[in-house]
Amino acid sequence: MTRPYGLLAELTYACPLHCPYCSNPLNLGDYRDELTTEQWQRVLTEARELGVLQLHLSGGEPLQRRDVVEIVRHGSRLGLYTNLITSAVGLSPRRAEQLREAGLDHVQMSIQAHEATASDRIAGTPSFERKVSAARLVKELGWPLTLNVVLHRHNIDHVGDVLRLAEELRADRIELANTQYYGWALLNRGALLPSRAQVDRAEAVVRAARDRLRGQVEITYVLPDYYEQYPKPCMDGWARRQLTVVPNGDALPCPAAQVLPLPRANVREHSVEWIWTRSPLFQRFRGTDWMPEPCRSCPRREIDFGGCRCQAFLLTGDAARTDPVCVLSPDHGIVVDAVRAAGEGDALVPRPNPRRVTSGRERSRTARS
């Protein structure tokens, strides 16, 4: 495949939640100068011309952009399948009706836990009841509903309760995705990484729920990278199928790639087509020629593509090294030590996310659901 099929449009990093596993960048001040409505519309048009079929609107909280309805309408007119990835805080009946009229196809909503006390504590703000109300509104309006639950040490033991909530809310799909350790999540890894016993128990619960809910709720369960033998293929390979555009216009091969010390590519300066086909950033780890050993001679090199470049950089300081998750990586001991620590004693209390909820014009420039 030489063309992308998916665009993740991170409209803003403003967010009413303060989740300790947030993977947004730590330096939010660099993203205050957000693309305008017209610039986003141009990006969507160029992405469609390049071959993109799916538009995923995210953040932060995309509902904090006043023009989100206009952006959805433009994507729909282009023939894109439009998916809103949201905390659902701010999804009022009026806004929901506007989005439906604009052509929104799907809603993907985050849930932090199965009940208010735990959910509000993890989210850093009272939000659970609004999420439940929003989920019911989504179903009333006839949209498909996906629930996204980021799993970690503090909620993974209640995965059965979360699945029962999904059943109660008539979700069409639920994604139980263990935390990926970037951004705030990496800073809080010691408090978030579940033990192997927790992961094994959760897997058994999910397996039983799949049997019970087959044909009713589609369940996706994503193991933590740290408990896998081999890494996952990051985004199905660097710059192979999807691209991300973040609030300030930087285009990335994956949502976390802003951490890498690589040349930037920005839609304010270049077309989406040029960025995808010619930019040094998108070329850097595309394919397999860049690979060191043991990846270069590994039979899995075109399956996992050496794993996650961002994870390799964050754990070793070198984005070109084999992902330390891999058992064949010379740096695998880093992951082994983290897993061992997760099984020893009580976790540390998560650091509070210092982002604050602002108001008015400033709110549209601040943090991810």
Side-chain angles (χ1 to χ4, degrees), residues 338-365:
V339 168
R340 182 183 299 115
E344 295 174 354
D346 294 330
L348 299 173
V349 176
R351 305 181 194 185
N353 188 326
R355 293 171 300 176
R356 60 192 177 91
V357 178
T358 58
S359 59
R361 184 173 301 171
E362 187 181 357
R363 175 172 291 182
S364 69
R365 302 179 180 274

Side-chain angles (χ1 to χ4, degrees), residues 72-232:
V72 167
R73 181 175 289 111
H74 188 75
S76 182
R77 286 173 177 168
L78 291 169
L80 296 169
Y81 182 88
T82 52
N83 174 33
L84 180 70
I85 304 172
T86 176
S87 69
V89 176
L91 186 63
S92 65
R94 181 172 178 273
R95 179 65 71 86
E97 289 283 4
Q98 291 172 336
L99 288 166
R100 187 174 67 162
E101 183 274 331
L104 183 68
D105 293 301
H106 181 271
V107 177
Q108 181 174 330
M109 200 179 93
S110 68
I111 293 285
Q112 280 66 39
H114 68 289
E115 53 85 26
T117 301
S119 178
D120 294 348
R121 183 177 68 249
I122 293 167
T125 189
S127 55
F128 179 78
E129 297 301 336
R130 282 179 285 175
K131 287 172 175 285
V132 169
S133 296
R136 291 183 172 135
L137 175 62
V138 166
K139 295 304 294 183
E140 287 170 9
L141 292 177
W143 275 310
L145 172 64
T146 292
L147 296 182
N148 182 67
V149 185
V150 178
L151 297 178
H152 45 81
R153 175 180 287 267
H154 301 282
N155 64 5
I156 194 169
D157 290 328
H158 295 283
V159 69
D161 297 315
V162 169
L163 285 163
R164 281 185 284 276
L165 176 63
E167 186 179 7
E168 176 189 333
L169 295 176
R170 297 186 295 123
D172 299 276
R173 179 174 176 270
I174 182 168
E175 180 175 318
L176 302 163
N178 274 274
T179 302
Q180 299 294 311
Y181 292 99
Y182 313 110
W184 293 103
L186 182 61
L187 289 182
N188 292 322
R189 187 183 66 186
L192 294 172
L193 185 64
S195 67
R196 186 176 296 276
Q198 287 181 298
V199 171
D200 290 344
R201 287 195 299 268
E203 197 167 8
V205 171
V206 170
R207 204 161 38 238
R210 278 184 176 143
D211 291 338
R212 183 174 64 84
L213 298 174
R214 184 172 286 111
Q216 182 178 342
V217 182
E218 178 187 344
I219 301 172
T220 299
Y221 179 65
V222 183
L223 276 171
D225 281 7
Y226 285 40
Y227 289 99
E228 297 271 30
Q229 189 175 14
Y230 301 109
K232 300 178 182 68

